[in-house]
């Protein structure tokens, strides 16, 4: 499949969602509730990839457009999640519950404004067509050249993750800047295969089996995210070690769990400071009480996240992830 074809596939999904959303009373809410974020993630992933391979300026601009929408949906999800989570909790003050709901509503209102102002919906909607016109003007590389660039990007990303863990993981000191950031970088390695629609495939490799055995939980083995699209009409593919990718999947899930757990404390603390007019220390004490945590819990999360990241990096699993390249036409 061509680079344009991949973009077009996900753009059509977004366009269909937008056309339905504009007929509702609250387009932003409808898009949020109908998972527009996933298709925007795929488009952002493609933009990141091709910015490294082709016209960096144009693809970086596209990435920023998709990321703007995805960020708003992420912000809505952040506040909506806590609004729903705390609605039935007698330990959380009503003021904090209202704070979360209010901020979710504010994000929805701002998102609706952005959708109109940026031309995604409304009488002057033109954004999708402008993006397609931009993509039609790209001089796309051959598939073989694309896969070579993709391999270099994976190698570059892997080195960057290893350097980040070495620099900041002794131990991590910040939930957002360290734990969340390393999880973002790991997650892109797992999003790219789905965005590329068959241009990346998994290959069994007995060499990595012993290294990755402990990561092969039932959740990992049954995860839909570990099933890649068929190679279809792709003529060249990048091959990833299946065991190593499954281990990567476990890491993304576990770091994500720790990130969510840690960031809830800070979200709750900030809400208490604003809604209950508490100072930082009192808000922290109250947040620990609500969560039923010891005061050492945040540091414990940071230390454990550091440990599993360092162990993962030191194991060599990331170094074995890149298996090689293949010409599919040779097997047809």
């Amino acid at each position: 499949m061509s680079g344009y074809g991949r973009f077009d596939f996900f753009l059509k999904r977004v366009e269909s969602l937008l056309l339905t959303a504009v007929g509702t009373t609250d387009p932003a809410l409808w898009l949020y509730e109908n998972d527009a974020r996933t298709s925007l993630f795929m488009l952002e992933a493609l933009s990141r990839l091709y910015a490294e391979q082709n016209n960096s300026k144009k693809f970086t601009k596209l990435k920023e457009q998709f990321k703007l929408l995805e960020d708003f949906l992420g912000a809505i999800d952040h506040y909506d999640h806590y609004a729903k989570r705390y609605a039935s909790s007698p330990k959380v003050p009503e003021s904090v519950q209202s704070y979360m709901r209010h901020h979710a509503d504010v994000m929805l209102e701002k998102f609706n404004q952005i959708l109109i102002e940026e031309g995604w919906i409304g009488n002057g909607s033109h954004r999708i067509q402008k993006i397609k016109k931009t993509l039609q003007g790209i001089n796309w590389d051959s598939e073989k050249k694309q896969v070579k660039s993709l391999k270099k990007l994976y190698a570059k990303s892997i080195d960057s993750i290893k350097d980040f863990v070495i620099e900041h993981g002794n131990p991590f000191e910040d939930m957002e800047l360290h734990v969340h950031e390393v999880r973002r970088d790991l997650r892109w390695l797992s999003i790219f295969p789905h965005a590329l629609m068959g241009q990346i495939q998994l290959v069994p490799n007995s060499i990595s089996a012993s290294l990755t055995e402990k990561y092969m939980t039932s959740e990992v083995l049954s995860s839909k995210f570990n099933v890649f699209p068929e190679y279809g009409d792709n003529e060249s593919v990048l091959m990833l070690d299946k065991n190593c990718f499954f281990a990567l999947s476990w890491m993304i899930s576990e770091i994500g769990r720790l990130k969510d757990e840690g960031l809830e404390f800070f979200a709750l603390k900030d809400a208490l400071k604003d809604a209950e007019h508490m100072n930082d220390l009192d808000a922290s004490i109250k947040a620990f009480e609500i969560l039923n945590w010891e005061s050492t819990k945040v540091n414990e999360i940071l230390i454990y996240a550091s440990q599993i990241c360092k162990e993962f990096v030191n194991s060599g699993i990331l170094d074995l992830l890149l298996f090689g390249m293949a010409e599919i036409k040779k097997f047809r």
Side-chain angles (χ1 to χ4, degrees), residues 35 114 172 174 184 190 206 211 238 257 265 292 325 331:
D35 195 28
I114 287 293
F172 292 139
D174 190 282
R184 285 191 191 100
S190 72
S206 59
L211 285 176
L238 178 67
R257 182 186 67 79
F265 165 77
N292 196 29
M325 296 167 53
F331 304 104

Side-chain angles (χ1 to χ4, degrees), residues 204-222:
N205 181 13
S206 59
I207 295 175
S208 60
S210 60
L211 285 176
T212 59
E213 184 177 3
K214 71 175 184 178
Y215 298 104
M216 300 301 158
T217 63
S218 58
E219 290 81 7
V220 166
L221 295 174
S222 63

Side-chain angles (χ1 to χ4, degrees), residues 31-264:
L31 291 169
Y32 167 63
E33 291 179 339
N34 287 273
D35 195 28
R37 196 178 182 190
T38 294
S39 293
L40 290 166
F41 258 132
M42 296 299 130
L43 288 165
E44 185 183 344
L46 290 173
S47 300
R48 285 173 175 270
L49 287 166
Y50 289 109
E52 294 285 336
Q53 298 180 13
N54 205 301
N55 191 312
S56 176
K57 185 177 180 180
K58 288 183 178 179
F59 284 114
T60 298
K61 187 175 180 179
L62 288 176
K63 180 190 73 174
E64 291 169 354
Q65 293 175 35
F66 300 133
K67 189 176 187 302
L68 176 64
L69 302 194
E70 188 274 315
D71 281 347
F72 265 104
L73 288 168
I76 294 165
D77 183 59
H78 173 82
Y79 291 111
D80 183 61
H81 169 76
Y82 292 126
K84 291 173 179 174
R85 182 177 176 86
Y86 298 149
S88 59
S89 174
K91 298 177 70 174
V92 177
E94 288 186 12
S95 62
V96 171
Q97 297 176 31
S98 297
Y99 171 94
M100 295 299 183
R101 184 70 268 158
H102 170 71
H103 278 71
D105 291 340
V106 168
M107 289 297 109
L108 284 166
E109 183 179 350
K110 288 183 177 180
F111 189 36
N112 274 319
Q113 292 174 354
I114 287 293
L115 289 169
I116 294 171
E117 290 171 3
E118 298 294 320
W120 292 96
I121 63 172
N123 294 331
S125 58
H126 57 272
R127 182 60 56 191
I128 295 289
Q129 294 309 313
K130 285 185 69 174
I131 291 172
K132 286 184 177 181
K133 186 175 180 180
T134 296
L135 293 170
Q136 288 165 354
I138 297 293
N139 183 22
W140 300 92
D141 290 337
S142 67
E143 278 200 32
K144 188 172 183 178
K145 190 172 181 180
Q146 285 180 27
V147 174
K148 285 183 178 179
S149 297
L150 181 59
K151 185 179 179 182
K152 289 180 181 178
L153 176 60
Y154 260 83
K156 178 181 175 182
S157 298
I158 288 167
D159 286 342
S160 178
I161 291 167
K162 289 161 60 179
D163 291 342
F164 185 90
V165 171
I166 291 169
E167 181 178 356
H168 299 290
N170 291 305
F172 292 139
E173 296 178 349
D174 190 282
M175 203 67 64
E176 177 66 38
L177 298 178
H178 294 159
V179 179
H180 198 181
E181 185 62 27
V182 76
R183 198 249 179 183
R184 285 191 191 100
D185 292 341
L186 289 167
R187 186 188 56 177
W188 283 118
L189 298 179
S190 72
I191 291 176
F192 292 152
H194 295 277
L196 286 167
M197 301 177 66
Q199 200 172 44
I200 299 180
Q201 295 295 313
L202 291 174
V203 178
N205 181 13
S206 59
I207 295 175
S208 60
S210 60
L211 285 176
T212 59
E213 184 177 3
K214 71 175 184 178
Y215 298 104
M216 300 301 158
T217 63
S218 58
E219 290 81 7
V220 166
L221 295 174
S222 63
S223 172
K224 65 179 181 180
F225 300 111
N226 293 335
V227 179
F228 288 8
E230 299 266 336
Y231 58 76
D233 62 355
N234 290 289
E235 295 184 355
S236 298
V237 297
L238 178 67
M239 298 182 294
L240 301 181
D241 182 295
K242 185 175 181 179
N243 295 326
C244 293
F245 188 85
F246 278 29
L248 172 68
S249 176
W250 183 92
M251 280 295 299
I252 293 168
S253 177
E254 185 67 1
I255 294 294
R257 182 186 67 79
L258 295 170
K259 177 264 299 182
D260 290 343
E261 193 175 9
L263 289 182
E264 180 174 7

Side-chain angles (χ1 to χ4, degrees), residues 268-279:
L268 187 53
K269 184 179 78 167
D270 289 344
L272 287 164
K273 288 168 67 175
D274 188 288
E276 292 286 300
H277 310 292
M278 291 182 170
N279 61 38

